Amino acid sequence: MPIKTVICCNEESKRELLSHSILESNTKFVQMIEEVSEHSNSRVIIDLSFECEPARIDLLRRSGKTVVVNSVVDTLKEIDPSFFRINGWPGFLASP
């Protein structure tokens, strides 16, 4: 089964997400943003560890995937208007 979603996050965020049991079995977790390119068959990249850095933004942009970033401070105007942005503050993933 092809991977549909790649989530870049730390172990704590991964545990919080998995505790909800809402993820499909074809979700892949990575810790380093460079690892997303290893999953070319994915459709969506969710970057919960997002840093507003030009190299990271460029890597996500070049993926050609639907991109969702966790950015509490920076808006899509500063990041990339084609991305989707969430405010994933601490504890957000553990909330019902």
Side-chain angles (χ1 to χ4, degrees):
M1 177 176 293
I3 297 169
K4 291 184 180 177
T5 305
V6 176
I7 302 174
C8 182
C9 64
N10 60 29
E11 282 298 317
E12 181 181 349
S13 295
K14 180 180 177 181
R15 280 192 303 277
E16 288 180 13
L17 281 170
L18 291 173
S19 72
H20 290 292
S21 302
I22 59 170
L23 298 176
E24 296 181 19
S25 61
N26 48 4
T27 298
K28 177 67 178 171
F29 287 91
V30 298
Q31 290 190 2
M32 304 295 294
I33 195 63
E34 295 79 12
E35 296 175 81
V36 299
S37 63
E38 298 171 14
H39 305 287
S40 60
N41 57 343
S42 65
R43 295 183 183 163
V44 177
I45 298 170
I46 301 173
D47 189 354
L48 296 177
S49 301
F50 182 75
E51 299 282 336
C52 191
E53 302 166 341
R56 190 178 197 110
I57 294 167
D58 188 53
L59 186 148
L60 291 167
R61 185 182 297 126
R62 286 185 290 114
S63 73
K65 313 294 183 202
T66 299
V67 175
V68 179
V69 296
N70 171 25
S71 181
V72 176
V73 177
D74 298 299
T75 68
L76 292 178
K77 184 176 181 180
E78 290 100 18
I79 301 168
D80 185 307
S82 70
F83 292 177
F84 293 88
R85 176 180 160 253
I86 62 169
N87 293 324
W89 55 88
F92 167 78
L93 299 173
S95 299

mmCIF file of all heavy atoms in Angstrom, residues 17-53:
data_model
loop_
_atom_site.group_PDB
_atom_site.id
_atom_site.type_symbol
_atom_site.label_atom_id
_atom_site.label_comp_id
_atom_site.label_asym_id
_atom_site.label_seq_id
_atom_site.Cartn_x
_atom_site.Cartn_y
_atom_site.Cartn_z
ATOM 1 N N LEU A 17 0.134 11.710 18.624
ATOM 2 C CA LEU A 17 -0.707 11.404 17.459
ATOM 3 C C LEU A 17 -1.187 9.967 17.477
ATOM 4 O O LEU A 17 -2.356 9.688 17.215
ATOM 5 C CB LEU A 17 0.068 11.672 16.172
ATOM 6 C CG LEU A 17 0.169 13.120 15.741
ATOM 7 C CD1 LEU A 17 1.164 13.260 14.598
ATOM 8 C CD2 LEU A 17 -1.183 13.654 15.316
ATOM 9 N N LEU A 18 -0.294 9.046 17.778
ATOM 10 C CA LEU A 18 -0.660 7.631 17.780
ATOM 11 C C LEU A 18 -1.653 7.290 18.899
ATOM 12 O O LEU A 18 -2.415 6.345 18.772
ATOM 13 C CB LEU A 18 0.589 6.761 17.892
ATOM 14 C CG LEU A 18 1.488 6.771 16.657
ATOM 15 C CD1 LEU A 18 2.787 6.015 16.937
ATOM 16 C CD2 LEU A 18 0.767 6.180 15.451
ATOM 17 N N SER A 19 -1.680 8.080 19.964
ATOM 18 C CA SER A 19 -2.605 7.810 21.064
ATOM 19 C C SER A 19 -4.057 8.031 20.654
ATOM 20 O O SER A 19 -4.969 7.526 21.292
ATOM 21 C CB SER A 19 -2.268 8.685 22.274
ATOM 22 O OG SER A 19 -2.620 10.033 22.028
ATOM 23 N N HIS A 20 -4.290 8.775 19.582
ATOM 24 C CA HIS A 20 -5.646 9.047 19.121
ATOM 25 C C HIS A 20 -6.196 7.967 18.201
ATOM 26 O O HIS A 20 -7.386 7.937 17.924
ATOM 27 C CB HIS A 20 -5.717 10.400 18.399
ATOM 28 C CG HIS A 20 -5.557 11.556 19.318
ATOM 29 N ND1 HIS A 20 -6.484 11.901 20.272
ATOM 30 C CD2 HIS A 20 -4.555 12.454 19.445
ATOM 31 C CE1 HIS A 20 -6.080 12.957 20.933
ATOM 32 N NE2 HIS A 20 -4.899 13.317 20.456
ATOM 33 N N SER A 21 -5.338 7.110 17.708
ATOM 34 C CA SER A 21 -5.742 6.009 16.815
ATOM 35 C C SER A 21 -6.550 6.486 15.612
ATOM 36 O O SER A 21 -7.467 5.804 15.169
ATOM 37 C CB SER A 21 -6.534 4.947 17.588
ATOM 38 O OG SER A 21 -5.782 4.447 18.646
ATOM 39 N N ILE A 22 -6.239 7.655 15.082
ATOM 40 C CA ILE A 22 -6.984 8.166 13.929
ATOM 41 C C ILE A 22 -6.165 8.107 12.648
ATOM 42 O O ILE A 22 -6.668 8.415 11.586
ATOM 43 C CB ILE A 22 -7.453 9.622 14.164
ATOM 44 C CG1 ILE A 22 -6.250 10.532 14.431
ATOM 45 C CG2 ILE A 22 -8.471 9.703 15.276
ATOM 46 C CD1 ILE A 22 -6.575 12.000 14.449
ATOM 47 N N LEU A 23 -4.907 7.704 12.765
ATOM 48 C CA LEU A 23 -4.036 7.692 11.597
ATOM 49 C C LEU A 23 -4.248 6.436 10.771
ATOM 50 O O LEU A 23 -4.482 5.355 11.303
ATOM 51 C CB LEU A 23 -2.571 7.789 12.028
ATOM 52 C CG LEU A 23 -2.199 9.061 12.768
ATOM 53 C CD1 LEU A 23 -0.753 8.987 13.219
ATOM 54 C CD2 LEU A 23 -2.408 10.278 11.891
ATOM 55 N N GLU A 24 -4.147 6.600 9.485
ATOM 56 C CA GLU A 24 -4.233 5.459 8.589
ATOM 57 C C GLU A 24 -2.939 4.663 8.678
ATOM 58 O O GLU A 24 -1.891 5.184 9.044
ATOM 59 C CB GLU A 24 -4.437 5.945 7.156
ATOM 60 C CG GLU A 24 -5.737 6.681 6.953
ATOM 61 C CD GLU A 24 -5.915 7.136 5.520
ATOM 62 O OE1 GLU A 24 -5.245 6.593 4.633
ATOM 63 O OE2 GLU A 24 -6.730 8.025 5.308
ATOM 64 N N SER A 25 -3.004 3.404 8.317
ATOM 65 C CA SER A 25 -1.819 2.547 8.387
ATOM 66 C C SER A 25 -0.757 2.955 7.379
ATOM 67 O O SER A 25 0.389 2.547 7.496
ATOM 68 C CB SER A 25 -2.212 1.088 8.171
ATOM 69 O OG SER A 25 -2.801 0.947 6.891
ATOM 70 N N ASN A 26 -1.114 3.754 6.410
ATOM 71 C CA ASN A 26 -0.140 4.163 5.398
ATOM 72 C C ASN A 26 0.426 5.553 5.685
ATOM 73 O O ASN A 26 0.708 6.320 4.781
ATOM 74 C CB ASN A 26 -0.720 4.066 3.993
ATOM 75 C CG ASN A 26 -2.086 4.706 3.878
ATOM 76 O OD1 ASN A 26 -2.579 5.288 4.824
ATOM 77 N ND2 ASN A 26 -2.680 4.616 2.715
ATOM 78 N N THR A 27 0.603 5.857 6.979
ATOM 79 C CA THR A 27 1.260 7.083 7.418
ATOM 80 C C THR A 27 2.672 6.730 7.838
ATOM 81 O O THR A 27 2.888 5.752 8.537
ATOM 82 C CB THR A 27 0.516 7.719 8.612
ATOM 83 O OG1 THR A 27 -0.802 8.065 8.190
ATOM 84 C CG2 THR A 27 1.219 8.948 9.117
ATOM 85 N N LYS A 28 3.635 7.521 7.414
ATOM 86 C CA LYS A 28 5.036 7.296 7.760
ATOM 87 C C LYS A 28 5.529 8.462 8.594
ATOM 88 O O LYS A 28 5.263 9.614 8.263
ATOM 89 C CB LYS A 28 5.868 7.160 6.475
ATOM 90 C CG LYS A 28 7.335 7.004 6.697
ATOM 91 C CD LYS A 28 7.657 5.691 7.358
ATOM 92 C CE LYS A 28 9.166 5.558 7.520
ATOM 93 N NZ LYS A 28 9.538 4.445 8.318
ATOM 94 N N PHE A 29 6.238 8.170 9.682
ATOM 95 C CA PHE A 29 6.827 9.195 10.535
ATOM 96 C C PHE A 29 8.315 9.302 10.243
ATOM 97 O O PHE A 29 9.000 8.288 10.090
ATOM 98 C CB PHE A 29 6.643 8.847 12.013
ATOM 99 C CG PHE A 29 5.238 9.011 12.494
ATOM 100 C CD1 PHE A 29 4.343 7.951 12.456
ATOM 101 C CD2 PHE A 29 4.790 10.228 12.995
ATOM 102 C CE1 PHE A 29 3.041 8.094 12.898
ATOM 103 C CE2 PHE A 29 3.485 10.380 13.434
ATOM 104 C CZ PHE A 29 2.616 9.314 13.394
ATOM 105 N N VAL A 30 8.816 10.529 10.169
ATOM 106 C CA VAL A 30 10.249 10.784 10.029
ATOM 107 C C VAL A 30 10.617 11.871 11.033
ATOM 108 O O VAL A 30 9.759 12.655 11.448
ATOM 109 C CB VAL A 30 10.641 11.226 8.598
ATOM 110 C CG1 VAL A 30 10.320 10.131 7.586
ATOM 111 C CG2 VAL A 30 9.972 12.534 8.205
ATOM 112 N N GLN A 31 11.881 11.901 11.434
ATOM 113 C CA GLN A 31 12.323 12.928 12.375
ATOM 114 C C GLN A 31 13.082 14.053 11.684
ATOM 115 O O GLN A 31 13.104 15.170 12.186
ATOM 116 C CB GLN A 31 13.180 12.319 13.472
ATOM 117 C CG GLN A 31 12.369 11.461 14.416
ATOM 118 C CD GLN A 31 13.153 11.054 15.641
ATOM 119 O OE1 GLN A 31 14.304 11.427 15.827
ATOM 120 N NE2 GLN A 31 12.523 10.274 16.492
ATOM 121 N N MET A 32 13.692 13.762 10.558
ATOM 122 C CA MET A 32 14.475 14.758 9.832
ATOM 123 C C MET A 32 13.748 15.129 8.544
ATOM 124 O O MET A 32 13.309 14.245 7.805
ATOM 125 C CB MET A 32 15.867 14.221 9.498
ATOM 126 C CG MET A 32 16.658 13.749 10.704
ATOM 127 S SD MET A 32 17.069 15.077 11.833
ATOM 128 C CE MET A 32 18.170 16.029 10.820
ATOM 129 N N ILE A 33 13.632 16.411 8.252
ATOM 130 C CA ILE A 33 12.899 16.857 7.068
ATOM 131 C C ILE A 33 13.490 16.293 5.788
ATOM 132 O O ILE A 33 12.769 16.032 4.821
ATOM 133 C CB ILE A 33 12.792 18.405 7.033
ATOM 134 C CG1 ILE A 33 11.736 18.852 6.025
ATOM 135 C CG2 ILE A 33 14.142 19.043 6.746
ATOM 136 C CD1 ILE A 33 10.340 18.415 6.345
ATOM 137 N N GLU A 34 14.790 16.047 5.764
ATOM 138 C CA GLU A 34 15.431 15.498 4.564
ATOM 139 C C GLU A 34 14.911 14.098 4.223
ATOM 140 O O GLU A 34 14.991 13.669 3.079
ATOM 141 C CB GLU A 34 16.958 15.452 4.757
ATOM 142 C CG GLU A 34 17.597 16.819 4.897
ATOM 143 C CD GLU A 34 17.453 17.430 6.290
ATOM 144 O OE1 GLU A 34 17.061 16.726 7.241
ATOM 145 O OE2 GLU A 34 17.709 18.635 6.398
ATOM 146 N N GLU A 35 14.347 13.414 5.198
ATOM 147 C CA GLU A 35 13.831 12.062 4.981
ATOM 148 C C GLU A 35 12.542 12.027 4.163
ATOM 149 O O GLU A 35 12.176 10.976 3.640
ATOM 150 C CB GLU A 35 13.590 11.358 6.318
ATOM 151 C CG GLU A 35 14.842 11.115 7.132
ATOM 152 C CD GLU A 35 14.515 10.536 8.488
ATOM 153 O OE1 GLU A 35 14.298 9.302 8.558
ATOM 154 O OE2 GLU A 35 14.446 11.316 9.460
ATOM 155 N N VAL A 36 11.843 13.143 4.044
ATOM 156 C CA VAL A 36 10.583 13.129 3.300
ATOM 157 C C VAL A 36 10.808 12.770 1.838
ATOM 158 O O VAL A 36 9.942 12.167 1.202
ATOM 159 C CB VAL A 36 9.783 14.442 3.429
ATOM 160 C CG1 VAL A 36 9.422 14.716 4.865
ATOM 161 C CG2 VAL A 36 10.491 15.605 2.804
ATOM 162 N N SER A 37 11.975 13.109 1.297
ATOM 163 C CA SER A 37 12.250 12.798 -0.111
ATOM 164 C C SER A 37 12.377 11.302 -0.361
ATOM 165 O O SER A 37 12.279 10.855 -1.492
ATOM 166 C CB SER A 37 13.516 13.531 -0.578
ATOM 167 O OG SER A 37 14.630 13.087 0.163
ATOM 168 N N GLU A 38 12.553 10.513 0.691
ATOM 169 C CA GLU A 38 12.624 9.054 0.561
ATOM 170 C C GLU A 38 11.245 8.441 0.319
ATOM 171 O O GLU A 38 11.138 7.256 0.050
ATOM 172 C CB GLU A 38 13.247 8.438 1.816
ATOM 173 C CG GLU A 38 14.668 8.883 2.066
ATOM 174 C CD GLU A 38 15.178 8.439 3.426
ATOM 175 O OE1 GLU A 38 14.547 7.577 4.071
ATOM 176 O OE2 GLU A 38 16.220 8.982 3.850
ATOM 177 N N HIS A 39 10.219 9.244 0.429
ATOM 178 C CA HIS A 39 8.834 8.748 0.307
ATOM 179 C C HIS A 39 8.132 9.458 -0.843
ATOM 180 O O HIS A 39 7.147 10.177 -0.658
ATOM 181 C CB HIS A 39 8.110 8.948 1.634
ATOM 182 C CG HIS A 39 8.820 8.320 2.778
ATOM 183 N ND1 HIS A 39 8.839 6.958 2.966
ATOM 184 C CD2 HIS A 39 9.598 8.851 3.745
ATOM 185 C CE1 HIS A 39 9.570 6.690 4.025
ATOM 186 N NE2 HIS A 39 10.053 7.814 4.509
ATOM 187 N N SER A 40 8.629 9.230 -2.033
ATOM 188 C CA SER A 40 8.111 9.923 -3.215
ATOM 189 C C SER A 40 6.674 9.540 -3.546
ATOM 190 O O SER A 40 6.000 10.257 -4.271
ATOM 191 C CB SER A 40 9.015 9.659 -4.417
ATOM 192 O OG SER A 40 9.069 8.271 -4.682
ATOM 193 N N ASN A 41 6.200 8.416 -3.012
ATOM 194 C CA ASN A 41 4.832 7.995 -3.300
ATOM 195 C C ASN A 41 3.818 8.605 -2.330
ATOM 196 O O ASN A 41 2.641 8.289 -2.391
ATOM 197 C CB ASN A 41 4.723 6.473 -3.286
ATOM 198 C CG ASN A 41 5.169 5.861 -1.962
ATOM 199 O OD1 ASN A 41 5.839 6.512 -1.162
ATOM 200 N ND2 ASN A 41 4.822 4.614 -1.740
ATOM 201 N N SER A 42 4.267 9.505 -1.458
ATOM 202 C CA SER A 42 3.330 10.145 -0.529
ATOM 203 C C SER A 42 2.557 11.250 -1.245
ATOM 204 O O SER A 42 2.966 11.735 -2.292
ATOM 205 C CB SER A 42 4.083 10.725 0.674
ATOM 206 O OG SER A 42 4.931 11.768 0.247
ATOM 207 N N ARG A 43 1.446 11.635 -0.650
ATOM 208 C CA ARG A 43 0.623 12.702 -1.211
ATOM 209 C C ARG A 43 0.664 13.963 -0.358
ATOM 210 O O ARG A 43 0.466 15.064 -0.861
ATOM 211 C CB ARG A 43 -0.824 12.238 -1.331
ATOM 212 C CG ARG A 43 -1.001 11.111 -2.318
ATOM 213 C CD ARG A 43 -2.450 10.749 -2.437
ATOM 214 N NE ARG A 43 -2.597 9.625 -3.342
ATOM 215 C CZ ARG A 43 -3.668 8.875 -3.406
ATOM 216 N NH1 ARG A 43 -4.692 9.136 -2.611
ATOM 217 N NH2 ARG A 43 -3.737 7.884 -4.249
ATOM 218 N N VAL A 44 0.902 13.775 0.951
ATOM 219 C CA VAL A 44 0.856 14.884 1.893
ATOM 220 C C VAL A 44 2.078 14.832 2.804
ATOM 221 O O VAL A 44 2.469 13.762 3.257
ATOM 222 C CB VAL A 44 -0.428 14.828 2.766
ATOM 223 C CG1 VAL A 44 -0.455 15.938 3.796
ATOM 224 C CG2 VAL A 44 -1.675 14.860 1.902
ATOM 225 N N ILE A 45 2.654 16.012 3.080
ATOM 226 C CA ILE A 45 3.721 16.138 4.064
ATOM 227 C C ILE A 45 3.205 17.057 5.160
ATOM 228 O O ILE A 45 2.759 18.170 4.895
ATOM 229 C CB ILE A 45 4.999 16.742 3.452
ATOM 230 C CG1 ILE A 45 5.549 15.841 2.355
ATOM 231 C CG2 ILE A 45 6.048 16.985 4.548
ATOM 232 C CD1 ILE A 45 6.662 16.489 1.538
ATOM 233 N N ILE A 46 3.260 16.561 6.396
ATOM 234 C CA ILE A 46 2.895 17.373 7.555
ATOM 235 C C ILE A 46 4.180 17.602 8.343
ATOM 236 O O ILE A 46 4.783 16.649 8.829
ATOM 237 C CB ILE A 46 1.826 16.680 8.422
ATOM 238 C CG1 ILE A 46 0.573 16.415 7.594
ATOM 239 C CG2 ILE A 46 1.518 17.530 9.658
ATOM 240 C CD1 ILE A 46 -0.484 15.593 8.306
ATOM 241 N N ASP A 47 4.586 18.844 8.438
ATOM 242 C CA ASP A 47 5.828 19.185 9.134
ATOM 243 C C ASP A 47 5.493 19.821 10.472
ATOM 244 O O ASP A 47 5.289 21.019 10.579
ATOM 245 C CB ASP A 47 6.674 20.125 8.265
ATOM 246 C CG ASP A 47 8.061 20.357 8.825
ATOM 247 O OD1 ASP A 47 8.344 19.891 9.955
ATOM 248 O OD2 ASP A 47 8.864 21.015 8.144
ATOM 249 N N LEU A 48 5.427 18.984 11.509
ATOM 250 C CA LEU A 48 5.120 19.478 12.847
ATOM 251 C C LEU A 48 6.349 20.072 13.528
ATOM 252 O O LEU A 48 6.231 20.719 14.558
ATOM 253 C CB LEU A 48 4.538 18.352 13.707
ATOM 254 C CG LEU A 48 3.200 17.796 13.226
ATOM 255 C CD1 LEU A 48 2.753 16.637 14.101
ATOM 256 C CD2 LEU A 48 2.136 18.883 13.175
ATOM 257 N N SER A 49 7.530 19.845 12.951
ATOM 258 C CA SER A 49 8.784 20.386 13.487
ATOM 259 C C SER A 49 9.262 21.579 12.665
ATOM 260 O O SER A 49 10.443 21.911 12.672
ATOM 261 C CB SER A 49 9.856 19.296 13.475
ATOM 262 O OG SER A 49 9.455 18.191 14.231
ATOM 263 N N PHE A 50 8.353 22.204 11.959
ATOM 264 C CA PHE A 50 8.694 23.257 11.011
ATOM 265 C C PHE A 50 9.505 24.385 11.628
ATOM 266 O O PHE A 50 9.207 24.866 12.716
ATOM 267 C CB PHE A 50 7.421 23.836 10.388
ATOM 268 C CG PHE A 50 7.688 24.900 9.372
ATOM 269 C CD1 PHE A 50 8.146 24.573 8.117
ATOM 270 C CD2 PHE A 50 7.504 26.243 9.684
ATOM 271 C CE1 PHE A 50 8.406 25.560 7.170
ATOM 272 C CE2 PHE A 50 7.751 27.236 8.757
ATOM 273 C CZ PHE A 50 8.207 26.884 7.492
ATOM 274 N N GLU A 51 10.530 24.805 10.906
ATOM 275 C CA GLU A 51 11.326 25.996 11.201
ATOM 276 C C GLU A 51 11.261 26.857 9.946
ATOM 277 O O GLU A 51 11.430 26.342 8.839
ATOM 278 C CB GLU A 51 12.780 25.624 11.485
ATOM 279 C CG GLU A 51 12.972 24.709 12.679
ATOM 280 C CD GLU A 51 12.885 25.447 14.001
ATOM 281 O OE1 GLU A 51 13.126 26.668 13.999
ATOM 282 O OE2 GLU A 51 12.572 24.811 15.008
ATOM 283 N N CYS A 52 11.023 28.132 10.091
ATOM 284 C CA CYS A 52 10.895 29.021 8.942
ATOM 285 C C CYS A 52 12.282 29.372 8.408
ATOM 286 O O CYS A 52 12.801 30.463 8.624
ATOM 287 C CB CYS A 52 10.117 30.277 9.330
ATOM 288 S SG CYS A 52 9.648 31.272 7.897
ATOM 289 N N GLU A 53 12.889 28.411 7.726
ATOM 290 C CA GLU A 53 14.224 28.558 7.154
ATOM 291 C C GLU A 53 14.119 28.368 5.640
ATOM 292 O O GLU A 53 13.426 27.450 5.183
ATOM 293 C CB GLU A 53 15.174 27.518 7.726
ATOM 294 C CG GLU A 53 15.308 27.578 9.235
ATOM 295 C CD GLU A 53 15.976 26.352 9.829
ATOM 296 O OE1 GLU A 53 16.023 25.290 9.162
ATOM 297 O OE2 GLU A 53 16.432 26.457 10.978
#
